[in-house]
């Protein structure tokens, strides 16, 4: 179970808030019914992907022998799976290792190549468009470094995930590579519950069906009007974005760091747009880890510009009872009040105290409190943020699913290299 607590100040909106909620809800219903955004259907549709992956694994010795999944992809093609892998790995010691080759940083690539044994690895090449320059470049480097025989002995070690009829899909067909398709109406940053995330996570050994089930329950609750807290929060953020321009996600759990990075891409790429009237709109995302960043960013929140809203993400049960020893240190006895309490108690008390201090300053806050960190709760969390993003986008009257600002930089990059040639 996940509990959602919205601070009273975050529920205050304009007199037309209820109308705006209905308008945003209707927009998401239309997106779902007309197929404008396909992520709403992934919790059901991706079950077939899992079935196919498991069947392939059962009949492929190379997959059975592999202990490492090498994901070659960037942005939406890697961040979601990376977030789930990081969050779940402490609970699944037997999961196969996943290495993410994302950034064309030569030092990092060489270091990661050195950790890969081709004979025990699978290579997943992920690109929705099929032509992502970072991904294709790293794939070429892997082919050369490991001597991958794409048309021979290593064919079953390489799996492609892309759009139907993309240039990467055509490459896979030409070489007889196993490929999985991303639905055409699912953008990269909304694709973690598609083959993009389900294939590597299933191969690694995680319970991906539970991830989908957690997501499905929230989809059903939202469209069944049992999760209107999402609408209230989304409308507040959209109505007051010019005052509260920055939305801070404070996650209290070290293994949620990659989740905050996924949220930053989802939020920034979806909500920073020019609207139909030519106005620049959007909310800036900031992802932080408690309690570490309490010792830095919190100062800016409390005494800096009042341009932020803050969401706290808390885990009720870490499944770990590590306790602070009953030891008294000379001259530091003032801290003995914490002796005998668990570190989970300490971390969550810090979360509660920080939220109380921020809310006391009149800064809008809300809390997402998960019972525990597992597949079902994380699947729900993924859908929570995807739905919230769509609600805010609908309320801002923008196209939540395009990214013209990103595409411009890609075009300029191409011209730079073409000019050099």
């Amino acid at each position: 179970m996940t509990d959602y607590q919205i601070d009273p100040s975050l529920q205050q909106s304009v007199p037309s808030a209820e109308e705006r909620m209905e308008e945003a809800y209707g927009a998401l219903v239309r997106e779902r019914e007309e197929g404008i955004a396909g992520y709403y259907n992934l919790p059901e549709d991706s079950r077939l992907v899992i079935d196919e992956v498991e069947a392939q694994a059962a009949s492929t010795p190379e997959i059975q022998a592999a202990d490492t999944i090498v994901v070659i992809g960037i942005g939406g093609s890697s961040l979601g799976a990376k977030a789930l892998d990081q969050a779940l790995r402490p609970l699944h010691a037997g999961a196969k290792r996943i290495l993410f080759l994302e950034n064309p940083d030569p030092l990092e690539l060489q270091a990661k190549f050195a950790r890969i044994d081709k004979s025990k690895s699978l290579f997943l090449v992920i690109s929705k468009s099929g032509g992502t320059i970072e991904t294709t470049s790293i794939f070429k480097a892997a082919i050369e470094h490991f001597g991958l025989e794409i048309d021979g002995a290593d064919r079953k070690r390489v799996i492609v995930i892309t759009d139907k009829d993309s240039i990467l899909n055509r490459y896979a067909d030409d070489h007889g590579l196993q490929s999985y398709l991303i639905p055409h109406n699912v953008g990269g940053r909304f694709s973690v519950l598609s083959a993009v995330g389900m294939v590597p996570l299933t191969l690694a050994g995680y319970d991906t069906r539970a991830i989908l089930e957690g997501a499905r329950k929230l989809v059903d609750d939202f469209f069944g009007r049992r999760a209107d807290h999402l609408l209230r929060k989304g409308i507040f953020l959209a109505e007051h974005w010019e005052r509260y321009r920055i939305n801070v996600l404070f996650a209290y759990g070290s293994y949620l760091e990659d989740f905050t990075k996924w949220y930053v891409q989802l939020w920034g790429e979806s909500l920073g747009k020019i609207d139909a009237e030519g106005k620049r709109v959007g909310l800036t995302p900031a992802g932080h880890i408690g309690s570490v960043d309490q010792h830095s960013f919190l100062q800016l929140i409390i005494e800096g510009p009042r341009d932020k809203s803050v969401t706290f993400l808390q885990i009720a049960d870490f499944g770990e009872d590590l306790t602070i020893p009953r030891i008294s240190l000379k001259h530091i006895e003032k801290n003995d009040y914490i002796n005998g309490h668990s570190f989970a108690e300490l971390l969550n008390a810090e979360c509660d105290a920080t939220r109380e201090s921020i809310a006391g300053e009149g800064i809008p806050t809300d809390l997402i409190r998960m019972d525990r960190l597992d597949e079902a709760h994380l699947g729900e969390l993924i859908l929570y943020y995807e739905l919230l993003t769509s609600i805010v986008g609908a309320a801002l009257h923008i196209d939540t699913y395009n990214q013209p600002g990103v595409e411009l930089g890609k075009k300029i990059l191409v011209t730079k290299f073409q000019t050099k040639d």
Side-chain angles (χ1 to χ4, degrees), residues 205-270:
Y206 294 118
D207 186 354
T208 44
R209 286 189 174 81
I211 294 174
L212 295 180
E213 180 60 17
R216 184 197 63 78
K217 287 181 179 178
L218 187 57
V219 170
D220 289 349
D221 282 348
F222 176 77
F223 287 105
R225 299 307 296 264
R226 296 183 297 276
D228 277 5
H229 58 85
L230 269 164
L231 289 166
R232 285 193 294 272
K233 178 177 175 179
I235 294 304
F236 175 89
L237 293 173
E239 290 283 359
H240 298 284
W241 77 267
E242 291 183 275
R243 179 178 179 184
Y244 302 113
R245 293 174 175 268
I246 300 171
N247 180 248
V248 181
L249 173 60
F250 239 122
Y252 278 73
S254 297
Y255 291 104
L256 292 168
E257 183 173 5
D258 283 332
F259 180 84
T260 70
K261 294 178 180 179
W262 173 81
Y263 144 78
V264 166
Q265 189 211 8
L266 177 71
W267 205 251
E269 199 169 7
S270 298

Side-chain angles (χ1 to χ4, degrees), residues 59-72:
S59 62
T60 307
E62 289 85 350
I63 294 179
Q64 296 167 19
D67 63 11
T68 299
I69 315 298
V70 181
V71 173
I72 302 175

Side-chain angles (χ1 to χ4, degrees), residues 98-114:
I98 305 181
L99 277 180
F100 294 88
L101 305 184
E102 305 166 280
N103 197 22
D105 177 330
L107 294 176
E108 183 187 39
L109 286 175
Q110 288 286 22
K112 288 187 174 180
F113 281 170

Side-chain angles (χ1 to χ4, degrees), residues 384-403:
Y384 174 92
Y385 267 97
E386 290 180 341
L387 287 168
L388 183 62
T389 301
S390 293
I391 292 165
V392 176
L396 290 175
H397 300 111
I398 59 174
D399 185 341
T400 309
Y401 309 106
N402 68 357
Q403 53 278 331

Side-chain angles (χ1 to χ4, degrees), residues 282-296:
L283 293 94
T284 299
H288 291 284
I289 294 296
S291 67
V292 175
D293 294 327
Q294 286 178 200
H295 298 269
S296 55

